[in-house]
Amino acid sequence: ASVCELLEGVEKHLQASDFTKEDLETRVRAFSAEKGIKLTPVAQAVRFGVTGGKVSPGLFEMLALQGKERVLRRVHAAVRALKG
């Protein structure tokens, strides 16, 4: 799956989250399992979509600290940019 497809798919799971580290981790892992893919490519797609980079502090801690509104805005912007 492409980064764009992964971001689009995980977006609804992020929208449903209460944005605690634990809930974010549960939801992103559930999405990975649902798609039958490992966590790493999903985590890398989310990290790229939110930070624009390949490296960040712990993914779920970083998402929780960024906050729901900012994370969803950045994921949505990344999807738009990737689609051209």
Side-chain angles (χ1 to χ4, degrees):
S2 72
V3 170
C4 188
E5 291 168 337
L6 293 174
L7 285 174
E8 282 183 313
V10 81
E11 190 173 12
K12 69 176 182 266
H13 292 269
L14 295 175
Q15 287 172 342
S17 176
D18 64 12
F19 260 69
T20 60
K21 174 193 167 292
E22 297 76 16
D23 188 57
L24 287 161
E25 184 169 359
T26 298
R27 290 177 186 276
V28 173
R29 286 184 183 279
F31 171 74
S32 296
E34 207 177 88
K35 292 294 178 190
I37 55 178
K38 292 185 179 187
L39 178 63
T40 303
V42 176
Q44 287 175 334
V46 172
R47 183 175 284 116
F48 171 75
V50 175
T51 70
K54 294 180 180 179
V55 180
S56 74
L59 177 65
F60 305 110
E61 294 87 346
M62 182 269 297
L63 293 175
L65 286 170
Q66 291 281 327
K68 189 172 190 171
E69 185 180 318
R70 177 179 287 160
V71 167
L72 290 173
R73 186 174 59 242
R74 289 181 176 181
V75 167
H76 190 70
V79 169
R80 280 197 324 262
L82 289 165
K83 284 187 169 184

